[in-house]
Amino acid sequence: MREETLATRAQPEDARGVAIVYAENYLNKLSGERIERECRNGLEDGCHALVINFKQTTIVNSIGVSILLGVIDAVERRGARLVFANVNHHTIKLFDLLGLSRHVALAENVEAAFAILEDFDAAPTPHGH
């Protein structure tokens, strides 16, 4: 198995405070739990944003979707940001159908995900902070 297909995250010393988690080819219970664990670790390490990179992912099953919903919930409870990057067309349709796309930003690639996060950070909050 190639290294980029493993669920890994950015080191806590990343100055941007963004964890990048790499999804595997088949997002099922086992790989979904790895993603969830790494996302939670990133949040606990103080990351203010997460990018899940789906570049290697070709199939997402129902358990994988359920786990992603849990990740979205955990990110929202922490007040962090979440972006899905490199999601294939078929999976985007699935996420749209199931409503995940309403709760997470979708980016063409990781660079675009960082641009989205920068836009989030630059946008004024409702309280003017």
Side-chain angles (χ1 to χ4, degrees):
M1 186 179 293
R2 295 181 313 190
E3 185 175 349
E4 68 263 23
T5 64
L6 298 174
T8 57
R9 63 185 166 85
Q11 297 300 313
E13 62 268 11
D14 181 15
R16 295 173 288 203
V18 179
I20 303 173
V21 180
Y22 296 89
E24 296 180 26
N25 183 339
Y26 180 38
L27 183 50
N28 58 13
K29 182 179 188 310
L30 182 62
S31 61
E33 287 173 344
R34 287 184 192 133
I35 290 169
E36 181 180 36
R37 180 175 52 250
E38 294 304 329
C39 288
R40 289 185 190 278
N41 287 343
L43 292 171
E44 289 171 9
D45 288 346
C47 289
H48 72 275
L50 302 170
V51 174
I52 300 178
N53 188 344
F54 288 89
K55 186 174 185 175
Q56 300 294 325
T57 306
T58 56
I59 300 171
V60 179
N61 74 11
S62 60
I63 296 172
V65 168
S66 177
I67 291 170
L68 290 174
L69 286 169
V71 169
I72 291 168
D73 183 56
V75 168
E76 288 176 351
R77 280 188 277 119
R78 292 278 185 132
R81 303 285 186 191
L82 179 63
V83 180
F84 290 172
N86 290 305
V87 183
N88 69 39
H89 181 69
H90 174 74
T91 304
I92 288 173
K93 284 180 146 183
L94 175 67
F95 290 170
D96 285 345
L97 179 69
L98 298 174
L100 269 73
S101 303
R102 288 181 293 211
H103 302 282
V104 64
L106 298 173
E108 185 175 332
N109 53 45
V110 173
E111 293 77 19
F114 279 107
I116 288 169
L117 292 170
E118 287 175 12
D119 288 345
F120 281 146
D121 291 340
T125 63
H127 302 291
H129 296 181

